[in-house]
Amino acid sequence: MSTSTVVVGLQWGDEGKGKIVDLLADRHDAVVRYNGGANAGHSVVIKGERFALHLIPSGILHKGKAAVVGNGVVIDPDWLARELDGLHARGVDTSSLVISDRAHVVMPWHKAEDELREKWLSEGSLEPIGTTKRGIGPCYADKATRGCAVRVGDLLTPGPLAKRLESICRLKTAMLSSIGGPDKAAYTYDHKATVDLCLAWGQRFKQYIQDTSAMLLDLQQAGKSILFEGANATLLDVDHGTYPYVTSSTCSSQGAAPGAGVPAASLGDVLGIMKAYSTRVGGGPLPTELIATEADCAMGDRIRQKGREFGTTTGRPRRVGWLDLVVVKYSARLNGAKGLSVMLLDVLGGIEQLNVATSYMIDGHPTDRITPHADWLARAKPIYQTLPGFGDLTKARKKSELPRSAIAYLDLIEATVGVPVRFVSVGPDREQTIEYS
Ligand code: IMP
């Protein structure tokens, strides 16, 4: 069997996984998304043209590669339709897209519930999660509770679908209109209209829908290699992230097997993707966040602007911090990463001195290990090593073209995390990627 690869984010998302998936797609036979939904946003720049993908794996930009949306993904059909239209408008052939019949559908009530829950949390004694309001959590919750779930395959079975939706619409209307405030109409889900909507989605996507697990198992049996594309990132993993400030799926490499429907032993290589600094969107702790002083805020802003650190999905400005290797080391170990890809290193170009957290002080004790709980991480005070900065890196194409100080930065990453750096990205374009080792 050829080697398959899992690509996974080692921080809080937006590490630049799309670019590496795009690069590695050529070396694999199929690309599979195994978790998350339209909360993710992958940008790929090809010859100066930017593609922002949320649901469709970036493998779609490679002719002839199967681009698979696995059973572990939650699909918002309106987003999917918009994404397909956008790709068609730019002349991209989408005939290699395959969507799991067992993926779950994000229904209108999931987005409404996500929005209402965040509002409730912000008005009460609890903190909102800061979700993308894309209905991700409520859809995964319905998947787990089963009775009210709609799967992609259901969109192709009019009779059973209409029967199921009769009860589901009644229940969702009762639940949401009771907590949704005076605008009852906004939370009323008409049975016939919902059935029509679902059947229209089914018609639109039927050519892509199949049993993707069976398809992937056949590919593996035929010796083909698969690239598993993790969405979101390890510190957002529902079990291993900074709970409760996480998303609702298994974003780490462990999610690839159940989310794609293949044996865990077949996953192959794991490549961890990290930014050269830290960012986070939404609530929850970010120990190295640049907010303590005016100078810190200015530095955070400088990195944010240069790194275009605004959400691909929501447009929200991302919180920015120094590189946190305690986090990266934890994630690399958890995922079993055998290589690292350091993204956006060029963004730090021109900064005189760079801080890197290599351990924490927590409750008066030093540690280089994480307890993945939001309250614990919120108390952690980073201990920094300071390194000299470097200049413009955007023209470097091989390791020998990187300045000594950039190599020293990468050396510190390798030494602290204990995993070799394989790729270094020095700009958004496909060509601005160094095969480091
Ligand atoms: P949800 O996934 O919309 O429920 O959001 C839960 C948390 O995960 C929020 O803090 C989001 O900002 C964050 N989040 C979800 N997906 C991504 C991603 O792809 N990149 C960065 N943050 C994300």
Side-chain angles (χ1 to χ4, degrees):
M1 192 188 286
S2 331
T3 308
S4 290
T5 309
V6 185
V7 167
V8 64
L10 299 182
Q11 295 152 313
W12 282 277
D14 314 306
E15 292 93 350
K17 295 179 288 288
K19 176 172 170 176
I20 293 299
V21 168
D22 175 59
L23 186 87
L24 295 182
D26 272 340
R27 307 173 197 181
H28 294 76
D29 298 296
V31 183
V32 190
R33 262 286 295 272
Y34 60 82
N35 75 300
N39 53 354
H42 291 172
S43 304
V44 184
V45 179
I46 301 172
K47 300 215 182 306
E49 200 179 351
R50 180 175 287 270
F51 292 83
L53 299 170
H54 299 275
L55 278 166
I56 299 178
S58 34
I60 198 78
L61 303 172
H62 294 253
K63 228 176 163 27
K65 308 278 171 189
V68 182
V69 180
N71 55 275
V73 176
V74 290
I75 297 177
D76 179 335
D78 289 332
W79 271 91
L80 181 62
R82 268 203 297 278
E83 219 161 278
L84 278 169
D85 289 345
L87 288 169
H88 292 158
R90 295 164 90 172
V92 177
D93 175 8
T94 60
S95 57
S96 63
L97 176 67
V98 191
I99 300 170
S100 170
D101 56 352
R102 298 204 287 275
H104 281 248
V105 180
V106 177
M107 298 294 291
W109 44 80
H110 293 138
K111 288 182 271 190
E113 185 182 333
D114 202 354
E115 185 118 29
L116 283 173
R117 191 184 302 266
E118 285 290 278
K119 189 161 166 277
W120 265 50
L121 289 173
S122 62
E123 286 167 358
S125 58
L126 295 164
E127 290 267 307
I129 304 294
T131 74
T132 58
K133 299 185 182 154
R134 298 281 188 263
I136 307 297
C139 184
Y140 276 117
D142 272 346
K143 174 178 178 173
T145 49
R146 293 148 295 160
C148 288
V150 178
R151 305 205 291 185
V152 168
D154 297 333
L155 304 177
L156 304 178
T157 58
L161 176 74
K163 192 160 170 237
R164 281 177 60 66
L165 282 174
E166 202 177 327
S167 301
I168 297 174
C169 287
R170 230 167 344 110
L171 184 71
K172 294 294 178 184
T173 299
M175 283 171 64
L176 293 181
S177 60
S178 72
I179 57 168
D183 187 6
K184 301 283 179 219
Y187 304 104
T188 300
Y189 302 101
D190 177 69
H191 175 235
K192 182 171 180 315
T194 308
V195 172
D196 289 349
L197 182 68
C198 286
L199 293 180
W201 287 335
Q203 283 309 302
R204 171 87 207 254
F205 304 127
K206 69 176 178 205
Q207 71 185 101
Y208 304 113
I209 301 171
Q210 59 169 284
D211 178 347
T212 50
S213 166
M215 174 200 164
L216 293 170
L217 293 172
D218 284 346
L219 283 178
Q220 289 185 324
Q221 206 169 10
K224 306 286 185 196
S225 68
I226 296 168
L227 183 58
F228 299 93
E229 177 179 351
N232 324 123
T234 307
L235 273 289
L236 296 173
D237 184 288
V238 68
D239 287 290
H240 304 294
T242 52
Y243 196 87
Y245 301 99
V246 294
T247 188
S248 309
S249 64
T250 302
C251 318
S252 54
S253 60
Q254 290 101 331
V262 298
S266 71
L267 297 179
D269 196 15
V270 177
L271 182 65
I273 315 297
M274 56 178 285
K275 263 179 200 178
Y277 48 93
S278 307
T279 63
R280 173 163 209 167
V281 207
L286 178 63
T288 60
E289 188 165 14
L290 282 158
I291 46 164
T293 63
E294 244 174 64
D296 281 352
C297 292
M299 179 61 73
D301 211 40
R302 173 177 174 169
I303 295 173
R304 183 178 301 109
Q305 296 301 332
K306 192 160 175 203
R308 302 166 58 133
E309 296 295 354
F310 298 88
T312 325
T313 301
T314 58
R316 290 181 289 181
R318 296 179 186 140
R319 298 157 62 195
V320 173
W322 294 119
L323 177 58
D324 186 340
L325 289 180
V326 188
V327 159
V328 175
K329 185 173 164 181
Y330 162 78
S331 299
R333 217 159 83 99
L334 182 77
N335 286 292
K338 299 196 185 79
L340 301 174
S341 189
V342 179
M343 313 303 288
L344 294 133
L345 188 60
D346 58 297
V347 171
L348 300 180
I351 300 174
E352 214 168 299
Q353 289 199 315
L354 299 166
N355 288 334
V356 178
T358 49
S359 60
Y360 296 149
M361 192 60 90
I362 174 98
D363 303 333
H365 302 286
T367 184
D368 62 357
R369 292 230 172 164
I370 274 187
T371 299
H373 189 284
D375 293 342
W376 187 95
L377 208 59
R379 299 200 309 279
K381 302 275 173 279
I383 300 175
Y384 290 111
Q385 289 196 30
T386 302
L387 279 75
F390 36 82
D392 178 31
L393 303 181
T394 55
K395 308 240 166 17
R397 295 294 175 271
K398 31 189 201 243
K399 184 174 176 180
S400 58
E401 292 170 3
L402 286 173
R404 272 250 27 97
S405 47
I407 295 194
Y409 196 80
L410 297 164
D411 284 348
L412 179 64
I413 295 174
E414 288 188 327
T416 311
V417 180
V419 177
V421 172
R422 282 208 209 134
F423 297 99
V424 177
S425 176
V426 291
D429 217 284
R430 225 184 233 180
E431 283 77 45
Q432 293 174 298
T433 314
I434 298 170
E435 301 233 6
Y436 195 75
S437 64

